[in-house]
């Protein structure tokens, strides 16, 4: 340790002149160089970690010790610097050597420079300086050295960063051991970094983001850890991680490449299992190209490129996965599925490689070759690897484009090389593997692969898959998830012809099972329209069928579609064998069916519909049930008698065995031809007769009445036995079947002809009568309509025996004992023919419906109707006398007394016009029997009263009977009659009006009547008779509302003796305004009319406000219609015209100050209009929406703001009142002002220390400004004018543009800077701008004030200024700012105004040129200073400047320096 200390002391003494009397001549240059290096080397805090890892990788380690690196952060201040956190870095290297110490105490000196070929990846001595980004006092404890560095200049030598200082603090080491682990020995090297206050969070964040793959390409470090240690574990925020690396022994090696496997394991936060990932590593060397060499790598002759292929999920902790490493990860994401490592040149930030570097471009040009070699090795290196394993390697192909153009060109080069290799595995179905170029291989559709897999299981030989013009891609690779890879390689699908060749050459149709055969058909069906249609597939035999001989045959799609012999499929499984059997019976039908086995499997096949639809559309295959097969067979029967008979047997057996429904049998029977009694085939007909010798119709009718109606008599073939398609039929079995299905029948089942028969015109025997009635009964039961001529013959023929002889049924009655005798007594003048039931043995009762059907009448109702019709025929020929009418009424009374209903008698006569009334003869319905009740009704209606003068008073005794006939007898509930005959005469008496209201009340459908009433003036009001809609039925509670408008007609309740009040609902229906709501609507309409014409008087307005006050005090709610009208109409007179309430203001004193700057709608309280009396209704006006308080009317000020042109006329109270309004608006959360307000307020009206200004040019001055600026230093609001309260309105002022807040005034103060001419004020503003790092938007402006010594000065640009001139050479050419301003401001001039720190080489050359031109003889000191600067700054550009400017050189003469 003593040697180490002596070494440090010698460095401090010899290099930095500490403890020596002499001044170090290079001290300032050294400090400046180190300062620039630390500020500009890296762009992010993260890279100091990368530099530390890089240094650790370059270190030397003891043999047998796994190199490790650990970062530990703690909240303890271990170095006693006052830091809130400390970062510890532990490394078990051999330790710092004296040469290493020398290196970190210098800039640009490294122990590893020029040793790139020995495996060093960094340059120690430069990277270490990056720790100053996060720590002001880094400490290093290593190999006996205990030193620290400080970024602040050392007081003894004025140099920072690189001056070592010995540390005696043993307590620090003790504390570090306690944190690291008391029982664990500290590693050889420990770096202590007390973290800067603003850097703790950034360091923690970057430690948490330490990438798990960071060890992937490091050859030395095997373990890396990040952790946080605090006394309270809950304070730990760093995501901890432990990473380890392990490398397998070398596996493969050739001349220029080797491969191995590296395993990485990472565990986060000490929890759970380790995450692991293995990486296949390919390492290959390439000679460095001569045109790619660069100065930094002149000693390197070989590029070493390593590609890492991750097996499984990469380790990333949720971070981005870098694609490029230069030993350590960059932040470049390549989008490649593998990682590239090489000795690439990096940008200073380490974020990315230098894309324009020839060195890097040369390396990247070698990557495609390395990748291709690695990929070929991966795919082909293991002959016994299964195909699925090989296919997984193809995921390493870079199929996705990179956003980095240079890397995307690498991707394209990889593609070009890979596609030229025999790299794609082909399907062989043998143990031999073979590979082909991507362009020679084709893909198969996934569905066909599925079929081939099934075929293989059936042991069908198809090893010739690749014998059809192209190699077949391995099935393990030919998957959808590999689409991107295969597209990248350019592997396409086989052509359409390939599938046909494969199917035909492999004989798949014949050799596979039915299930696989259907899979094949389903595949073709799905792909037919878009793929196979129009290819050779249509001509390949694919469809199975059973031929004429019953053997298995095949047809192609085109062959099946073009042939006249079609292929069929049974629609149901149960029909398959049945249809195949009968298809051989009806060969002429030209339909052959698919084999039974195929159809049976097809019936349960999941995609049956797809196959059948395809076969139907393209091969014209027909799907048939037994019924449809019958339809197809029918045309082939033609005139072949045997086929016609066979078809009947087919139908009979199909029906009996359940293959055909009854409906289907009848349909086919209706279409099939028949063999008639002559043995000829004739067309089908629905009219079929049984032979005459066994018929019943001959005995009834005597002859064939169906001649000429197209009936066919069946032949004898239908009752003979037969054997067809293996099915036997016995004799006479078919006849009942045909009778049931083609309608061959006899009486009573046969339909009668549309013709008369002769026996109906004469009396029928008893037997014939019952036979005819039985026939009619059967026909009615079957629902068959009897032909008109045949039925007319029955109805009109005189064949039915009655009491007055044989009569037609239509005029005969079949009576009973209850009413028969009565009719004979009351109708002696009317002959009624009664059926002779005795003659028919009283059996006709069983045929009542049939007799009724042919016209016979049975009951009293029909007899009564008969009598009534007879009477009406008398009335039609002559008028009924009063006696006839009285007799009719007596008959009705007699029927009622005998409990017999006179209803049908009445219904037959009640609508006849035979009753005499005051309006002439008319029907009884609607006539009125006049009594005293009808007196009032006669005043308002024209009613048809019965003529009592014609009938006499006795007519009054028949009220009940007349009422049954439809006569209106009493007024009770007969208001409808009054309504129907309504006729108004005026004037309308009170009783008549009440009756009208009763009609409205009791008549259900009175809309038409009410509509008529609404247009008549029949309601008495205090202003005369009015129509209902013009009248009001007033209520005293809201009568005050009517005072708002004049001349309202009120119903005259005294005229109606108070009765009218009980008819509110009826009056309302008629249109009278009876409710508060209705009245308010009418008043609202009237009010709206008056307000729109601006004719509302003061009286109207005060009446409205008064009624509003009264109604709100009682239970009545002010009507909504009127309320809405009052709220929206412009009825209030204001100083700016008529306005609605919400647009009006009731004036108060607070408005006085703001009124000069806003045009406000104050209610007109002058004596010429409302006067002061309007203020009595303040509460009512407020309730209606008027603004009555200043705090509620802020929005008026905003919308009507009118700033005067002369800003001096705007008083301070006006301004403060405006701000108070804005504050009130803010309380209502009205944050956004209208554009009109912003336009109105954007004027020069605010008074500041620099005069009147726009709001955006003003600043609010408060206590925070006082230490820095005075009130006159900028456009601060004039508090002497506005008062101190103006500063309390900061938020309100800010809302319309005024600058509020100490840190927000840079732009405004800068804009007004040049208004100053006093140096002190300008300096104060400069300091303020510097505090907030202000920079000008226009860098070319003259922003720099140069004092002239007095109270004046001038403004100049940055280009003619310089911060300092230590040699004092440029005082006549440049303004040297350190002569005018304190040192603190110089940084502001440099950063913000871009002033040069010192004169440049060009400035020096211009100076020399001026000396030459002015024949100035510089002093020796000036000349030395000039050339010392040039020597220190000698670059290529320096040479150019000297050549351009300098033509003379200094010569020392007796007179001093001369330029020659």
């Amino acid at each position: 340790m003593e040697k180490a200390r002596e070494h440090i002391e010698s460095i401090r003494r010899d290099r930095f002149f500490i403890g020596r009397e002499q001044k170090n001549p290079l001290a300032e240059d050294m400090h400046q160089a180190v300062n620039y290096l630390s500020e500009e080397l890296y762009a992010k805090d993260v890279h100091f970690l990368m530099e530390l890892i890089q240094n650790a990788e370059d270190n030397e380690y003891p043999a047998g010790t796994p190199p490790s690196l650990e970062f530990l952060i703690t909240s303890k201040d271990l170095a006693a610097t006052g830091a809130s956190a400390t970062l510890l870095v532990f490394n078990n290297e051999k330790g710092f050597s004296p040469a290493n110490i020398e290196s970190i105490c210098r800039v640009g000196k490294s122990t590893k420079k020029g040793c790139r070929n020995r495996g060093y990846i960094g340059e120690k001595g430069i990277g270490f300086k990056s720790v100053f980004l996060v720590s002001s006092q880094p400490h290093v404890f290593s190999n006996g050295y205990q030193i620290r560095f400080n970024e602040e200049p050392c007081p003894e030598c004025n140099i920072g960063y690189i001056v070592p200082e010995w540390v005696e603090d043993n307590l620090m080491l003790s504390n570090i051991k306690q944190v690291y682990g008391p029982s664990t020995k500290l590693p050889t090297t420990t770096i202590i970094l007390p973290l800067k206050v603003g850097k703790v969070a950034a360091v923690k964040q970057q430690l948490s983001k330490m990438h798990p793959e960071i060890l992937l390409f490091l050859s030395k470090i095997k373990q890396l850890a990040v952790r946080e240690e605090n006394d309270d574990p809950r304070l730990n925020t760093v995501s901890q991680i432990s990473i380890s690396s392990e490398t397998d022994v070398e596996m493969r090696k050739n001349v220029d490449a080797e491969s191995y496997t590296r395993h990485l394991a990472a565990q986060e936060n000490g929890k759970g299992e380790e995450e692991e990932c293995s990486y296949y590593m390919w390492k290959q060397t390439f000679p460095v190209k001569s045109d790619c060499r660069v100065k930094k790598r002149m000693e390197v002759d070989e590029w070493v490129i390593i590609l890492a292929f991750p097996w499984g999920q990469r380790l990333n902790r949720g971070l981005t996965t870098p694609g490029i490493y230069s030993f350590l990860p960059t932040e470049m994401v390549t989008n490649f599925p593998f990682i590239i490592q090489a000795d690439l040149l990096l940008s200073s930030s380490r974020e990315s490689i230098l894309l324009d570097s020839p060195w890097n471009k040369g390396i990247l040009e070698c990557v495609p070759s390395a990748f291709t070699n690695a990929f070929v090795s991966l795919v082909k290196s293991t002959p016994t690897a299964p195909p699925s394993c090989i296919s997984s390697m193809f995921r390493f192909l870079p199929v996705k484009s990179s956003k980095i153009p240079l890397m995307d060109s690498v991707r394209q080069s990889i593609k070009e090389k890979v596609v030229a290799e025999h790299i794609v595995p082909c399907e062989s179905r043998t143990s031999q593997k073979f590979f082909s170029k991507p362009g020679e291989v084709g893909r198969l559709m996934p569905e066909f692969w599925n079929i081939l897999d099934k075929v293989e299981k059936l042991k069908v030989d198809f090893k010739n898959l690749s014998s059809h013009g192209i190699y077949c891609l391995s099935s393990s690779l030919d998957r959808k998830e590999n689409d991107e890879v295969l597209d990248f390689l350019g592997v396409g699908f086989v052509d359409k012809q390939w599938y046909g060749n494969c199917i035909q050459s492999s004989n798949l149709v014949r050799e596979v099972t039915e299930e696989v055969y259907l899979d094949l058909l389903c595949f073709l069906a799905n792909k037919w329209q878009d793929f196979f249609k129009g290819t050779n597939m249509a001509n390949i035999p694919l469809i199975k069928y059973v031929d004429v001989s019953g053997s298995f045959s095949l047809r192609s799609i085109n062959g099946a579609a073009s042939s006249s012999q079609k292929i069929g499929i049974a629609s149901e499984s149960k029909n398959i064998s049945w249809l195949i059997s009968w298809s051989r019976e009806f060969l002429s039908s030209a339909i052959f069916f698919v084999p039974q086995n195929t159809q049976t499997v097809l019936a349960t096949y999941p995609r049956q519909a797809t196959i059948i639809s395809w076969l139907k559309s393209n091969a014209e295959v027909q799907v048939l049930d037994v019924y449809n097969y019958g339809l197809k067979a029918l045309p082939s029967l033609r005139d072949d008698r045997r086929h016609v008979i066979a078809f009947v047997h087919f139908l009979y057996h199909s029906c009996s065995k359940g293959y055909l429904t009854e409906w289907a049998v009848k349909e086919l029977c209706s279409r099939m031809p028949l063999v008639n009694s002559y043995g000829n085939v004739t067309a089908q007909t629905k009219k079929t007769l049984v032979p005459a010798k066994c018929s019943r119709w001959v005995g009834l009718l005597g002859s064939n009445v169906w001649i000429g109606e197209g009936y066919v008599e069946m032949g004898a073939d239908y009752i003979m036995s037969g054997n067809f398609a293996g099915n036997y039929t016995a004799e006479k079995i078919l006849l009942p079947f045909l009778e049931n299905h083609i309608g061959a029948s006899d009486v009573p089942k046969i339909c009668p002809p549309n013709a008369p028969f002769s026996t109906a015109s004469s009396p029928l025997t008893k037997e014939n009568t019952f036979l005819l009635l039985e026939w009619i009964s059967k026909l009615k039961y079957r629902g068959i309509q009897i032909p008109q001529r045949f039925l007319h013959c029955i109805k009109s023929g005189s064949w039915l025996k009655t009491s007055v002889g044989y009569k037609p049924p239509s005029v005969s009655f079949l009576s009973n004992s209850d009413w028969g005798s009565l009719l004979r007594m009351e109708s002696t003048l009317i002959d009624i023919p009664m059926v002779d039931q005795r003659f028919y043995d009283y059996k006709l009762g069983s045929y009542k419906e049939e007799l009724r059907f042919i016209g016979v009448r049975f009951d009293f109702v029909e007899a009564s109707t008969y009598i009534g019709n007879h009477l009406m025929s008398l009335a039609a020929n002559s008028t009924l006398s009063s006696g006839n009418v009285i007799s009719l009424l007596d008959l009705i009374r007699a029927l009622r007394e005998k409990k017999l209903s006179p209803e049908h008698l009445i219904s037959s006569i009640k609508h006849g016009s035979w009753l005499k009334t005051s309006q002439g003869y008319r029907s009884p319905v609607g006539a009125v029997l006049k009594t005293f009740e009808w007196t009032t009704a006669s005043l308002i209606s024209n009613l048809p009263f019965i003529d009592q003068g014609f009938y006499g008073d006795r007519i009054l005794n028949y009220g009940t009977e007349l009422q049954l006939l439809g006569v209106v007898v009493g007024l009770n509930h007969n208001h409808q009659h009054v309504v129907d005959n309504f006729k108004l005469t005026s004037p309308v008496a009170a009783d008549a009006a009440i009756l009208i209201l009763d009609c409205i009340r009791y008549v259900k459908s009175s809309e038409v009547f009410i509509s008529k009433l609404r247009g008549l003036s029949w309601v008495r009001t205090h202003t005369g008779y009015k129509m209902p809609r013009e009248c009001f039925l007033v209520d005293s509670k809201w009568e005050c509302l009517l005072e708002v408008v004049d001349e309202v007609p009120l119903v005259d309740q005294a005229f109606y003796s108070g009765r009218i009040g009980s008819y509110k609902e009826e009056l309302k229906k008629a249109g009278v305004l009876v409710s508060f709501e209705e009245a308010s609507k009418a008043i609202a309409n009237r009010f709206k009319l008056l307000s729109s014409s601006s004719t509302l008087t003061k009286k109207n307005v005060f009446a409205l406000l008064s009624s509003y006050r009264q109604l709100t005090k009682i239970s009545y709610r002010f009507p909504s219609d009127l309320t809405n009208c009052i709220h929206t109409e412009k009825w209030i007179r204001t100083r700016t015209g008529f306005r609605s309430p919400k647009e009006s203001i009731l004036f108060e004193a607070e408005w006085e100050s703001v009124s000069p700057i806003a045009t406000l709608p104050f209610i007109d309280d002058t004596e010429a209009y409302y006067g002061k009396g309007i203020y009595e209704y303040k509460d009512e006006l407020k309730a209606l929406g008027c603004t009555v308080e200043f705090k509620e009317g802020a929005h008026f000020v905003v919308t009507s703001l009118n700033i005067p042109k002369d800003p001096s006329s705007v008083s301070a109270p006006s301004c403060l009142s405006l701000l108070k309004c804005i504050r009130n608006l803010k309380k209502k959360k009205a944050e956004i002002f209208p554009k009109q307000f912003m336009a109105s307020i954007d004027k020069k009206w605010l008074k500041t220390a620099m005069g009147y200004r726009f709001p955006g040019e003003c600043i609010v001055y408060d206590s925070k400004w006082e230490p820095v600026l005075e009130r006159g230093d900028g456009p601060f609001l004039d508090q002497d004018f506005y008062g101190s309260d103006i500063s309390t309105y900061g938020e309100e002022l800010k809302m319309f543009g005024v600058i509020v807040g100490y840190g927000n005034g840079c732009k405004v103060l800068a804009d007004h800077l040049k208004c100053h001419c006093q140096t002190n004020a300008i300096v104060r503003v400069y300091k303020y701008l510097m505090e907030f790092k202000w920079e000008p938007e226009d860098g070319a402006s003259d922003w720099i004030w140069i004092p002239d010594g007095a109270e004046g000065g001038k403004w100049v640009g940055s280009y003619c200024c310089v911060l300092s001139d230590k040699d004092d050479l440029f005082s006549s050419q440049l303004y040297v700012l350190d002569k005018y301003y304190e040192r603190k401001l110089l940084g502001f001039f440099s950063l913000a105004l871009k002033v040069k720190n010192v004169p440049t080489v060009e400035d020096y050359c211009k100076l020399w040129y001026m000396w030459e031109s002015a024949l100035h003889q510089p002093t020796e000191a000036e000349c030395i200073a000039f050339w010392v600067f040039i020597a220190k700054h000698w670059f290529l550009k320096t040479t150019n400047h000297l050549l351009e400017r300098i033509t003379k050189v200094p010569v020392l003469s007796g007179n001093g320096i001369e330029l020659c």
Side-chain angles (χ1 to χ4, degrees), residues 496-557:
K496 302 175 182 179
Q497 305 298 328
W498 185 93
Y499 291 94
N501 296 337
C502 178
I503 292 171
Q504 198 165 17
S505 66
S506 302
N507 202 16
L508 289 182
V509 175
R510 291 183 180 274
E511 295 196 20
V512 297
T513 62
E514 298 294 351
E515 289 80 2
V516 178
Y517 169 64
L518 293 180
D519 285 341
L520 177 62
L521 292 186
C522 185
F523 164 71
L524 295 174
N526 287 327
K527 304 297 181 182
W528 192 263
Q529 190 65 31
D530 298 328
F531 196 75
F532 290 119
K533 190 173 184 180
T535 67
N536 66 328
M537 192 66 75
N539 298 316
I540 295 174
L542 295 170
I543 307 175
K544 299 178 181 179
Y545 72 98
V546 180
D547 59 15
V548 177
S549 64
S551 301
F552 167 81
S553 293
L554 292 171
R555 273 194 196 161
S556 66
I557 296 294

Side-chain angles (χ1 to χ4, degrees), residues 389-403:
C389 179
I390 295 174
S391 62
S392 66
M393 300 172 186
F394 279 79
R395 64 187 174 86
F396 295 128
L397 289 170
V399 298
K400 295 182 179 178
S401 61
S402 176
K403 294 182 180 180

Side-chain angles (χ1 to χ4, degrees), residues 46 89 122 222 510 517 738 754 907 948 980 1105 1117:
V46 63
V89 185
K222 300 301 180 184
R510 291 183 180 274
Y517 169 64
L738 292 171
N754 190 18
S907 64
Q948 294 185 26
D980 293 342
L1105 296 174
R1117 185 178 179 183

Side-chain angles (χ1 to χ4, degrees), residues 777-804:
S777 176
K778 294 289 185 183
L779 293 172
K780 285 173 59 62
Y781 178 77
R782 292 164 57 191
I784 298 175
Q785 186 174 3
I786 300 175
Q788 285 293 348
R789 293 177 64 195
F790 184 79
L791 182 60
H792 179 72
C793 174
I794 297 172
K795 287 184 175 182
S796 61
S798 299
W799 54 271
L800 184 64
K801 184 173 176 60
T802 71
S803 59
V804 292

Side-chain angles (χ1 to χ4, degrees), residues 1053-1093:
Q1053 299 196 44
F1055 174 74
Y1056 295 108
S1057 303
R1059 293 177 293 168
I1060 198 75
S1062 63
Y1063 289 94
K1064 280 187 177 181
E1065 287 300 318
E1066 291 73 26
L1067 288 167
K1068 182 178 180 180
K1069 289 181 180 179
V1072 176
L1073 305 177
V1074 300
S1075 68
F1076 179 57
E1077 291 75 13
E1078 292 174 324
S1080 67
K1081 287 181 181 178
I1083 294 170
N1085 291 334
R1086 176 66 178 161
F1087 183 85
K1088 188 182 295 185
L1089 181 65
L1090 293 173
S1091 61
S1092 63
S1093 60

Side-chain angles (χ1 to χ4, degrees), residues 94 159 196 522 929 969 1021 1248 1315 1448:
K94 288 182 177 180
I159 298 173
K196 296 178 181 178
C522 185
L929 185 63
V969 175
T1021 71
T1248 73
C1315 297
K1448 297 179 181 181

Side-chain angles (χ1 to χ4, degrees), residues 752-929:
N754 190 18
F757 58 97
S758 58
T759 55
S761 61
S762 58
L764 291 179
T765 64
K766 185 190 304 183
E767 293 75 13
N768 285 339
T769 299
F770 286 114
L771 181 58
L772 179 59
L773 292 175
E774 179 68 18
W775 193 8
I776 293 172
S777 176
K778 294 289 185 183
L779 293 172
K780 285 173 59 62
Y781 178 77
R782 292 164 57 191
I784 298 175
Q785 186 174 3
I786 300 175
Q788 285 293 348
R789 293 177 64 195
F790 184 79
L791 182 60
H792 179 72
C793 174
I794 297 172
K795 287 184 175 182
S796 61
S798 299
W799 54 271
L800 184 64
K801 184 173 176 60
T802 71
S803 59
V804 292
Y806 284 95
K807 292 291 183 181
S810 59
V811 297
S812 302
F813 289 87
L814 188 64
S815 65
N816 60 34
S817 58
D818 293 336
W819 55 270
S821 59
L822 178 62
L823 288 183
R824 283 194 292 271
M825 177 185 70
E826 297 295 337
S827 305
T828 54
L829 298 178
I830 303 174
D831 291 329
I832 301 178
M834 302 290 185
V835 176
D836 190 350
Q837 297 194 54
R838 181 184 297 176
F839 174 76
Y840 293 108
D841 298 328
Y842 298 101
K843 295 181 180 180
L844 291 176
S846 302
Y847 294 97
K848 281 186 177 182
E849 291 301 320
E850 290 74 20
L851 290 168
R852 193 186 308 276
F853 178 71
I854 60 178
V856 175
R857 286 171 279 187
F858 285 81
D859 53 19
F860 173 70
V861 172
E862 293 174 304
S864 298
T865 303
Y866 182 82
I867 294 170
N869 291 339
H870 180 73
L871 288 174
M872 289 301 97
S873 65
L874 292 176
N877 295 325
S878 61
T879 304
L880 291 179
S881 66
S882 61
N884 294 139
V885 172
I886 297 299
S887 297
L888 175 61
L889 296 174
D890 286 334
L891 176 59
I892 294 172
R893 180 174 290 178
L895 291 173
R896 293 179 65 246
E897 290 173 352
K898 290 183 177 293
K899 309 299 182 183
L900 291 173
S901 173
E903 178 182 353
H904 292 282
L905 174 61
I906 290 171
S907 64
S908 64
I909 63 176
K910 71 187 296 184
H911 296 293
S913 298
W914 52 270
L915 184 63
K916 189 174 182 181
T917 69
S918 58
Q919 297 180 3
Y921 284 96
R922 57 170 292 165
S923 74
V925 179
V928 180
L929 185 63

